[in-house]
Amino acid sequence: MRQFRLKVNGKEVQVEAPAGITLLKLLRDYLGLTGTKEGCGEGECGACTVLLDGVAVVSCLLPAAKAEGREVTTIEGLAQGEKLHPLQEAFISEGAVQCGFCTPGMILSAKALLDNNPRPTKDEIREALSGNLCRCTGYSQIVRAVEKAAEVMARGE
């Protein structure tokens, strides 16, 4: 066992967990942040995507030690109290949420994109989401949701 210190969703945390644990397991099993999902466990599906210092990463492959002293954002960290993030709102309004399993990873990948490119093209959105698999929506609603959120965020709403 070892102590891990990192910033999660804006709060400094210290947690004791096995030394070789992945960031995904640390978040879910030790911090109770279950919005991050384990899909394939091989870094292929994107369900476990979180932001590490603002960059989208697959947490199922990332040793928690690599997050030491860094900032992690999970889906639970996007909303401001009861107010959802524009991406969360857009995913709901555009019907981009079906079973919901891939949604946290999709939203965090989209957030990383919009933080670096506030007005992406459809192709740039598709590229940014290419590491995230969805078996329910067919992706068109997801792309529309990201476009809508980009518009809302550009207006400062």
Side-chain angles (χ1 to χ4, degrees):
M1 297 295 271
R2 70 167 279 201
Q3 289 291 320
F4 291 91
R5 289 185 178 93
L6 55 153
K7 192 174 196 177
V8 180
N9 298 330
K11 297 178 182 148
E12 298 289 338
V13 298
Q14 182 175 328
V15 62
E16 188 174 348
I21 195 169
T22 63
L23 181 57
L24 171 66
K25 295 280 188 205
L26 185 79
L27 292 169
R28 288 183 59 83
D29 299 346
Y30 289 83
L31 296 175
L33 298 170
T34 57
T36 305
K37 306 296 186 215
E38 181 168 9
C40 67
E42 298 177 0
E44 297 291 329
C45 72
C48 67
T49 301
V50 297
L51 301 182
L52 183 63
D53 295 333
V55 176
V57 298
V58 288
S59 62
C60 71
L61 297 180
L62 188 73
K66 296 275 187 185
E68 188 92 45
R70 299 173 75 185
E71 181 148 3
V72 176
T73 304
T74 69
I75 194 69
E76 291 92 345
L78 286 190
Q80 300 294 317
E82 295 294 314
K83 181 166 175 37
L84 295 178
H85 186 279
L87 276 163
Q88 293 168 308
E89 291 280 357
F91 267 64
I92 294 167
S93 69
E94 293 301 313
V97 177
Q98 302 258 325
C99 82
F101 195 82
C102 71
T103 305
M106 288 280 188
I107 288 175
L108 289 165
S109 292
K111 182 172 185 331
L113 169 67
L114 296 181
D115 286 349
N116 291 305
N117 180 359
R119 297 186 186 273
T121 65
K122 275 187 181 6
D123 286 341
E124 290 168 329
I125 293 169
R126 287 187 187 102
E127 175 67 26
L129 299 178
S130 65
N132 299 80
L133 301 179
C134 176
R135 290 183 169 86
C136 299
T137 65
Y139 297 95
S140 59
Q141 301 98 312
I142 294 169
V143 172
R144 276 198 316 270
V146 176
E147 289 175 317
K148 181 175 185 174
E151 292 170 15
V152 168
M153 292 166 70
R155 292 192 306 259
E157 295 176 22

